[in-house]
Amino acid sequence: MIWYEDEVHQLEKKAQSIAGVTNRTVFYGSSSIRMWNTLDHDFAGKPVLNFGFGGSTLAACGWFFERLVVPLQPRSIVFYAGDNDLGDGRHAEEVYLFFCALIAKMQGLLPDVPFSFVAIKPSPARWHIINNIRFANHLIRQKIEKLPGYQYVDIYTPMLDAGGHPRWELFESDGLHLSRKGYALWQQILLQHPGIF
């Protein structure tokens, strides 16, 4: 986890600079969150905070949870990660266990805070592991369905075309990170889910 320390330290400084400002919807997770540069504009009038850090795995998000998320005293959490774990060769079952460990921390430290898991996206660059992505999403969704106050946000299905393949216009040229159209789709979907804001 040492390679995340510089960026995590910067986020800790950011948290200190807004100490006392609570009741925000905190977006937490990997680069799909961190690179959402229009987050404030896309959810104008809603108190949101971007606490993504680049390249992070679901395991790393759990590791740094106490340092980064708990001090913010969020009103709700929107979470995206798991993509990089699978890209690094982790199995879907491992990602599921990392998710369960994060949820255990949530329930112990922020028991009344609503939690929204954004499904792992079907990116063209990782199409070769799409079965693992589907299975990880399936396992996590099953877990969430048993947890009051938690919800699964299905961005996976709307990011596929009629033939069941990724919609290229939703991605940057690397086939991994979201384009402006991709973020616009996520915005639209998240606004339809109750309890986030």
Side-chain angles (χ1 to χ4, degrees), residues 15 18-26 46-49 69-76:
I18 57 170
V21 181
T22 59
N23 207 38
R24 294 174 185 253
T25 296
V26 173
K46 302 181 187 301
V48 296
L49 189 60
V69 179
V70 175
L72 299 172
Q73 299 178 54
R75 76 163 306 279
S76 76

Side-chain angles (χ1 to χ4, degrees), residues 56-76:
S56 60
T57 57
L58 207 160
C61 290
W63 181 264
F64 292 111
F65 183 76
E66 289 96 332
R67 287 172 60 182
L68 293 180
V69 179
V70 175
L72 299 172
Q73 299 178 54
R75 76 163 306 279
S76 76

Side-chain angles (χ1 to χ4, degrees), residues 41-179:
H41 176 268
D42 291 345
F43 299 104
K46 302 181 187 301
V48 296
L49 189 60
N50 189 328
F51 256 61
F53 55 109
S56 60
T57 57
L58 207 160
C61 290
W63 181 264
F64 292 111
F65 183 76
E66 289 96 332
R67 287 172 60 182
L68 293 180
V69 179
V70 175
L72 299 172
Q73 299 178 54
R75 76 163 306 279
S76 76
I77 295 169
V78 175
F79 180 73
Y80 180 85
D83 207 333
N84 291 324
D85 306 71
L86 295 170
D88 289 344
R90 296 288 192 177
H91 297 292
E93 293 90 342
E94 292 178 280
V95 173
Y96 170 72
L97 291 175
F98 294 147
F99 178 75
C100 290
L102 175 64
I103 292 310
K105 290 188 176 188
M106 271 289 300
Q107 292 176 323
L109 298 167
L110 299 172
D112 301 318
V113 175
F115 184 95
S116 301
F117 178 84
V118 178
I120 302 169
K121 66 185 187 293
S123 54
R126 290 184 171 154
W127 194 246
H128 61 290
I129 57 168
I130 195 61
N131 288 335
N132 274 335
I133 291 172
R134 286 194 195 105
F135 191 41
N137 280 334
H138 170 72
L139 292 172
I140 291 170
R141 186 172 199 161
Q142 280 192 320
K143 175 76 170 178
I144 286 173
E145 286 173 353
K146 301 172 186 173
L147 300 172
Y150 290 69
Q151 62 181 334
Y152 177 91
V153 179
D154 181 18
I155 54 81
Y156 178 96
T157 306
M159 295 186 78
L160 299 175
D161 62 21
H165 293 96
R167 295 166 54 191
W168 260 102
E169 75 274 12
L170 302 177
F171 295 89
E172 296 287 359
S173 58
D174 63 5
L176 181 62
H177 296 103
L178 294 177
S179 67

